[in-house]
Amino acid sequence: MANAGPFTCPMCGFRNEGGAERCVSCGAKASILPAGYEESEYPHHYQQEGFDWRWAAGAALGFLVAEIIVLLVLPRFVVAFDPMGIVGLVVAVGIWFVGGILVGLLSPGKTFAEPAVGALLVMGPTIGFQMWSTPEGFDSSLLAYLVVGILGAMWTLFGAFFGEKLHMAWMKKI
């Protein structure tokens, strides 16, 4: 059943034209809107309302501490650990994902972007350190480091979304 007039999707907030059966942006069914739907009754559950630099700075600080541990401390105690190898990449992805979950879980509002911005802020010093400390014979380009850093920010976004879902489920139980 199509909506008679224009409507704002309660899932993503996109303003749709009249006669649409599904939201053009996210694909949610228009029939999920109850009769007499008013936009103010249904907040946009999955939209971030603002950006809080404190959470981005906290995420950046957390990621920086984790990077220092992984790049400087761990190789000194675990001789077989190679931060440049696949194990180092798996550990880094885990740090980004778990860091995103923690910020999404602990923050009071919707904070999807803050952990990713924090990861991108730490990307510069991490790339600089990696390029400075690259062992002889390991030749990687700046582009490769940038791609891995951006993938890290993506994993952080996934973690933040998952953390927000956990936060919302936890708040419903309280």
Side-chain angles (χ1 to χ4, degrees):
M1 177 170 122
N3 255 7
F7 69 97
T8 300
C9 177
M11 301 306 275
C12 71
F14 185 79
R15 184 82 177 143
N16 290 278
E17 298 297 322
E21 289 189 27
R22 293 187 170 271
C23 173
V24 175
S25 177
C26 71
K29 288 185 178 181
S31 62
I32 63 171
L33 300 175
Y37 164 76
E38 290 191 26
E39 193 171 325
S40 62
E41 291 180 22
Y42 294 92
H44 306 294
H45 293 290
Y46 300 108
Q47 278 193 329
Q48 183 167 338
E49 285 114 22
F51 186 86
D52 190 349
W53 278 102
R54 293 174 298 181
W55 284 102
L61 182 64
F63 288 130
L64 187 61
V65 168
E67 291 289 330
I68 288 170
I69 291 170
V70 169
L71 294 175
L72 295 175
V73 176
L74 200 56
R76 295 189 192 277
F77 294 105
V78 181
V79 180
F81 179 71
D82 177 19
M84 297 286 202
I86 189 70
V87 175
L89 181 62
V90 169
V91 169
V93 167
I95 288 171
W96 294 322
F97 185 70
V98 170
I101 289 173
L102 288 175
V103 173
L105 186 61
L106 298 175
S107 64
K110 291 176 184 61
T111 51
F112 299 113
E114 285 85 343
V117 169
L120 290 172
L121 289 172
V122 174
M123 184 174 72
T126 303
I127 289 173
F129 175 79
Q130 291 282 28
M131 292 183 80
W132 172 73
S133 67
T134 299
E136 200 64 40
F138 184 84
D139 191 23
S140 188
S141 68
L142 176 62
L143 180 62
Y145 286 118
L146 289 173
V147 168
V148 170
I150 291 169
L151 287 173
M154 250 177 47
W155 275 104
T156 306
L157 277 172
F158 292 141
F161 181 75
F162 187 65
E164 286 295 330
K165 290 285 219 177
L166 290 173
H167 180 81
M168 285 188 230
W170 182 49
M171 293 307 287
K172 284 182 183 179
K173 289 182 181 181
I174 294 179

